[in-house]
Amino acid sequence: MDHVELLARAKVDDPRSESGVVLEGQYREAYDAMLDAHNAGLFVGLIGPVGAGKTALCRKFAEDLGRPFEWVTFSDLVRPANLVGSFDPTLVFKYGYAPEAFVPGPFTLAALKGGVFLANELNRGDEYVLNTMLDALEERRLYIPALRAWYRVHEDFYLIAAMNPTENRGTRRLPSAIRDRIKVWIRLAYPKRATELKIVEQHCGEYKLAPGQIELVLEMVEQTREDPAIESPASIRSSIGIARFAAERARRLGQPIDHKLLAQAARLVLSEAIRVKPGRNLEHYLDSLLTKTLGTTG
């Protein structure tokens, strides 16, 4: 099979997917606030730690609205062309510097099609890049430098910004011009245990883990979120990863999930999922955490 056939077979015609969001507690409150802000014509900012479910919530929101969903995850490497678009050199040879040779970026696609644009990790972006969006947010028009023309922004275009708290490493204070255009701010934390248990169950359905086993996983993960020695704690993805790994290893070995298997899974997942504060030893921390929670280091 050549790569053309492979690409044709693997192409996704409908990018919508199950978001994995359990709409209860803080997620229900956030979703309702997003809906009210959208209907009022106000852009929304979501602030929460890594892995709290911000992206999944935004994807579900866009899908429920029946809108195209586009996004960019900001960093120092993102430039205006990554948002707005640029010319395809091969098409320039055929059409010249004309619209036919222009490949629109995610922000342009959302703005012109009336989609939802997720500005993910917005406070990690460079101010020069963020300013690219200002006219579209305020004046409902977008300037595309490559085409040297202004374009009307679709009336259904909507922006959601997702950010980590400003105290997190690598974040910046948002420029006042951008902050002023985001009118509604919603804070998310890691979910309560009952909600996170449902999320883990949803992502581990084929393994049929007992609630008590998932409770042990969540206990370990919660410890990393509450311990002052931890600079970056474990996310919901870590909970899912530990549960799935332990269940799969138990299946392969043909034995029940026990504390030893959970400890092995937790060590393998958490070793890169958390970051301890300077001066603390990660292996010693994990030994202490696993002994305290499971009675074994694996």
Side-chain angles (χ1 to χ4, degrees):
M1 183 188 302
D2 63 23
H3 74 279
V4 176
E5 183 182 352
L6 181 64
L7 289 170
R9 290 181 58 180
K11 184 179 179 182
V12 177
D13 294 317
D14 185 353
R16 293 174 297 178
S17 62
E18 290 295 325
S19 58
V21 174
V22 174
L23 272 186
E24 65 178 39
Q26 66 167 357
Y27 298 118
R28 178 80 260 177
E29 294 173 4
Y31 185 95
D32 289 345
M34 292 165 67
L35 187 61
D36 291 338
H38 170 269
N39 292 339
L42 305 173
F43 297 131
V44 161
L46 295 176
I47 302 175
V50 175
K54 301 186 294 295
T55 304
L57 183 63
C58 293
R59 183 184 295 277
K60 176 171 177 54
F61 185 74
E63 291 177 357
D64 287 352
L65 290 177
R67 304 273 185 78
F69 182 64
E70 307 285 347
W71 75 95
V72 164
T73 297
F74 285 84
S75 71
D76 288 332
L77 299 179
V78 173
R79 309 315 300 159
N82 299 121
L83 295 176
V84 178
S86 59
F87 284 113
D88 182 331
T90 60
L91 294 178
V92 169
F93 281 111
K94 182 176 181 180
Y95 298 107
Y97 290 98
E100 292 81 1
F102 182 74
V103 180
F107 184 75
T108 297
L109 287 173
L112 301 187
K113 293 193 299 184
V116 174
F117 179 76
L118 171 61
N120 196 33
E121 309 284 4
L122 183 66
N123 57 349
R124 295 183 187 274
D126 181 87
E127 182 173 0
Y128 170 70
V129 179
L130 301 186
N131 287 343
T132 303
M133 302 186 291
L134 287 178
D135 288 313
L137 301 183
E138 185 69 22
E139 305 296 334
R140 311 297 292 188
R141 60 179 187 166
L142 174 65
Y143 184 69
I144 300 181
L147 299 177
R148 299 181 182 180
W150 289 92
Y151 294 86
R152 287 188 300 273
V153 170
H154 196 288
E155 62 182 7
D156 289 336
F157 167 70
Y158 192 65
L159 176 133
I160 304 173
M163 297 176 291
N164 298 143
T166 53
E167 61 268 20
N168 280 31
R169 183 183 298 182
T171 62
R172 302 180 171 97
R173 288 187 60 84
L174 280 184
S176 57
I178 289 290
R179 177 173 287 277
D180 187 56
R181 286 161 174 80
I182 301 171
K183 300 299 185 182
V184 177
W185 296 91
I186 302 168
R187 288 193 173 269
L188 290 175
Y190 291 116
K192 291 183 179 179
R193 184 179 293 196
T195 302
E196 189 162 355
L197 187 146
K198 291 180 181 179
I199 295 172
V200 174
E201 286 179 331
Q202 190 176 81
H203 285 83
C204 299
E206 71 270 34
Y207 289 114
K208 310 299 182 185
L209 282 87
Q213 295 166 341
I214 301 178
E215 286 279 0
L216 287 172
V217 172
L218 299 185
E219 177 63 29
M220 284 185 285
V221 168
E222 280 186 12
Q223 289 291 326
T224 71
R225 298 170 185 170
E226 297 170 357
D227 196 321
I230 299 300
E231 184 172 84
S232 179
S235 69
I236 299 172
R237 299 185 192 96
S238 299
S239 301
I240 295 168
I242 295 170
R244 289 185 64 87
F245 186 93
E248 177 58 29
R249 176 162 285 188
R251 185 202 62 78
R252 177 176 62 82
L253 296 176
Q255 66 180 63
I257 299 174
D258 57 18
H259 286 200
K260 183 176 181 180
L261 282 184
L262 286 174
Q264 292 171 358
R267 184 179 295 278
L268 290 168
V269 171
L270 295 178
S271 62
E272 288 298 326
I274 64 174
R275 185 167 62 242
V276 296
K277 290 184 176 179
R280 300 298 298 264
N281 182 280
L282 176 61
E283 288 301 318
H284 290 168
Y285 174 81
L286 289 176
D287 286 343
S288 175
L289 172 66
L290 297 175
T291 301
K292 177 181 177 182
T293 310
L294 299 171
T296 176
T297 61

